[in-house]
Amino acid sequence: MNRDLRFVWPAALACFLLAALTGVLYRYGLAFGETFGFSFVNIRHAHSHLMYFGWPTPVLMAIIAAIRIPPERRRAISPIIWTVFAGATASYPLFLLFGYQTMAIGSAELPIAVIASSLNMLAWYAFVVVYAKETRGTARDRAGVLFDLSLLFLVLSSLGAWALALLKPLGIDSDIWASALTHIFLDLFSEGWFVLATLGVIFAVMPRDRDAGGHWSIALVCAGLPVTFAMGMPSALVPAPLASLATLGNLSVGVGLIVLSMILIRRLDSANWLLFVPLAFLFLKATGQVSESLTPAFSITSIPGLRLIYLHAMLLGFVSIALMASARLLVEAPVSKGAVITFTIGATAMIASLIMFTPLIPFDWIGSWTFRAAFWFSLVPIPGVVWLLIDAVRTARRASITTFRP
Ligand code: HEM
């Protein structure tokens, strides 16, 4: 039964591939004016939801379980991760077709894509319960501390989503609450769950003897995270005291992440040098946060192109490349180094191409060529993923995330 966790890696890569191709469709639509009947907003929702729920989430859960839970006690993990995949893939066509729109089912108007993806949240809670039960009272090294904290932020982020869903039934029609709760959900999910858990994975693959448990930089990140949601809200909706608190929190998160990325970069050696690029992306993202906090007139989220590059530096540049490079070290039958390098180059080129949509490029340079170039660049991470997927399917019989031995 435990060996069944081996399905996670190829299944998550397949989700990544489909979600990436959906992003490519968005770029194709902008470049050539054809989206095959799907709306841009729905394509974007389908892309981001499948990426969030079908890629890092199940991979992180499998790796955390492999590292922290003994093989004979992982029985419940496999069905939980299957449920995560079921929610992610069932909601994908619904987001593509309907987005957040409600559908009339009987006498009720229901947002069916949201309902299908909520299936995920029940699986997250189940994972957290099993994890808490099976790791209670065990010693935590730094990776263990980061996993605990990342799961705490996963639960906190989900509370934002439930509260958001309750606004309408409770008759609360408030832009401030809707925006705040959306950002509590999305920001704590990506900046808390993904970033902290991925850092845990990286600490797990690095030599461990110097890692006691926590570190003051982790405390800085966790102290700042709960208030950073306000940085993403339209500034007109944020009361002044909350805006100041969010700026301080953002600074705290940025400084903490810079320190953590430096600690890890200094530890790289010949066995794990592939992790340099994702750590450099983490450093860049954190530097952006610190600059934003120290420069009152500068806000990453208020400039759409900058928000896009910031998001993809974190989610593609840091989280995705780090998971692919770490899987090489965690999966028993190695993922080929060539595939990871191909993906790293492709993802880095794609992220760099997003500079075209930032104020760094003079506005009068932008024309139809920009959208065509962005389309071609969106294709460059694809060969690496296809290679990784072929590797994963070929080695699935031998490879197993569960065979990792700390
Ligand atoms: C091959 C890799 C990828 C491609 C080609 C891609 C492409 C895109 C495109 C075209 C957009 C819409 C841009 C716009 O609004 O102008 C987008 C948005 C987004 N992507 Fe990606 N992306 C990739 C990887 C990822 C990954 C790995 C994640 C997360 C794990 C991710 C999460 C998101 C999110 C959250 C948004 C913003 C959604 C929103 O604001 O509603 N993307 N991406």
Side-chain angles (χ1 to χ4, degrees):
M1 182 70 172
N2 284 325
R3 291 154 59 83
D4 287 354
L5 269 191
R6 67 180 57 173
F7 73 91
V8 176
W9 185 240
L13 284 171
C15 286
F16 185 104
L17 183 60
L18 181 59
L21 290 172
T22 312
V24 170
L25 172 64
Y26 187 98
R27 289 272 166 247
Y28 183 83
L30 286 180
F32 304 107
E34 176 60 79
T35 54
F36 308 98
F38 302 113
S39 82
F40 279 107
V41 179
N42 291 354
I43 296 173
R44 198 191 309 115
H45 282 319
H47 161 74
S48 56
H49 283 83
L50 186 58
M51 278 296 186
Y52 269 29
F53 301 151
W55 163 235
T57 298
V59 172
L60 286 168
M61 284 179 175
I63 294 178
I64 291 174
I67 294 175
R68 296 285 294 129
I69 305 178
E72 65 285 1
R73 312 189 72 145
R74 278 182 223 144
R75 234 162 240 287
I77 301 296
S78 176
I80 289 173
I81 299 183
W82 271 116
T83 313
V84 171
F85 279 122
T89 47
S91 59
Y92 172 79
L94 300 175
F95 272 117
L96 200 54
L97 291 169
F98 311 116
Y100 280 112
Q101 245 174 280
T102 52
M103 294 286 295
I105 296 180
S107 58
E109 287 282 324
L110 299 173
I112 50 173
V114 178
I115 292 171
S117 69
S118 307
L119 189 62
N120 268 296
M121 286 195 220
L122 304 178
W124 304 344
Y125 294 144
F127 182 83
V128 172
V129 168
V130 173
Y131 174 88
K133 184 167 158 262
E134 298 300 344
T135 62
R136 194 173 41 208
T138 60
R140 265 106 172 121
D141 58 4
R142 191 156 300 155
V145 169
L146 283 159
F147 293 151
D148 287 3
L149 292 166
S150 69
L151 289 169
L152 176 68
F153 280 106
L154 177 67
V155 173
L156 288 178
S157 80
S158 72
L159 299 182
W162 290 122
L164 187 64
L166 283 177
L167 283 185
K168 240 190 196 161
L170 291 176
I172 302 171
D173 183 15
S174 152
D175 287 347
I176 300 185
W177 275 108
S179 172
L181 292 169
T182 305
H183 282 282
I184 288 176
F185 172 45
L186 291 178
D187 299 356
L188 292 187
F189 193 78
S190 54
E191 311 257 358
W193 160 231
F194 283 164
V195 171
L196 292 176
T198 306
L199 276 167
V201 171
I202 300 179
F203 270 106
V205 299
M206 299 263 179
R208 302 170 136 221
D209 45 349
R210 283 160 285 168
D211 291 337
H215 188 265
W216 58 268
S217 56
I218 300 176
L220 275 185
V221 175
C222 294
L225 272 176
V227 287
T228 48
F229 70 89
M231 298 297 289
M233 295 170 63
S235 52
L237 298 182
V238 186
L242 179 59
S244 309
L245 204 62
T247 306
L248 213 61
N250 200 37
L251 181 65
S252 176
V253 174
V255 172
L257 290 178
I258 287 178
V259 173
L260 285 162
S261 56
M262 290 310 298
I263 291 175
L264 288 163
I265 285 174
R266 289 177 59 187
R267 271 187 204 189
L268 292 171
D269 59 27
S270 57
N272 48 40
W273 60 272
L274 284 174
L275 286 165
F276 173 75
V277 174
L279 288 169
F281 271 116
L282 180 66
F283 180 86
L284 278 178
K285 162 209 142 48
T287 308
Q289 281 179 289
V290 171
S291 321
E292 183 184 32
S293 306
L294 297 178
T295 323
F298 169 57
S299 155
I300 293 175
T301 38
S302 65
I303 305 170
L306 217 52
R307 182 179 127 80
L308 198 64
I309 204 167
Y310 172 83
L311 269 180
H312 285 83
M314 166 171 64
L315 299 168
L316 180 61
F318 171 58
V319 175
S320 301
I321 301 180
L323 290 182
M324 296 192 180
S326 307
R328 262 197 75 247
L329 305 163
L330 292 175
V331 177
E332 202 172 58
V335 173
S336 93
K337 206 185 259 186
V340 178
I341 294 173
T342 307
F343 178 76
T344 302
I345 294 171
T348 305
M350 194 211 103
I351 297 165
S353 77
L354 297 177
I355 288 176
M356 291 188 296
F357 298 111
T358 67
L360 289 174
I361 299 293
F363 190 68
D364 48 0
W365 287 14
I366 295 175
S368 57
W369 71 269
T370 333
F371 295 101
R372 283 200 298 274
F375 162 67
W376 291 111
F377 272 108
S378 69
L379 284 170
V380 288
I382 304 291
V385 189
V386 172
W387 187 347
L388 282 159
L389 188 55
I390 292 172
D391 264 359
V393 172
R394 253 205 225 137
T395 55
R397 282 176 183 279
R398 282 171 292 137
S400 164
I401 297 179
T402 58
T403 54
F404 174 76
R405 285 176 205 91

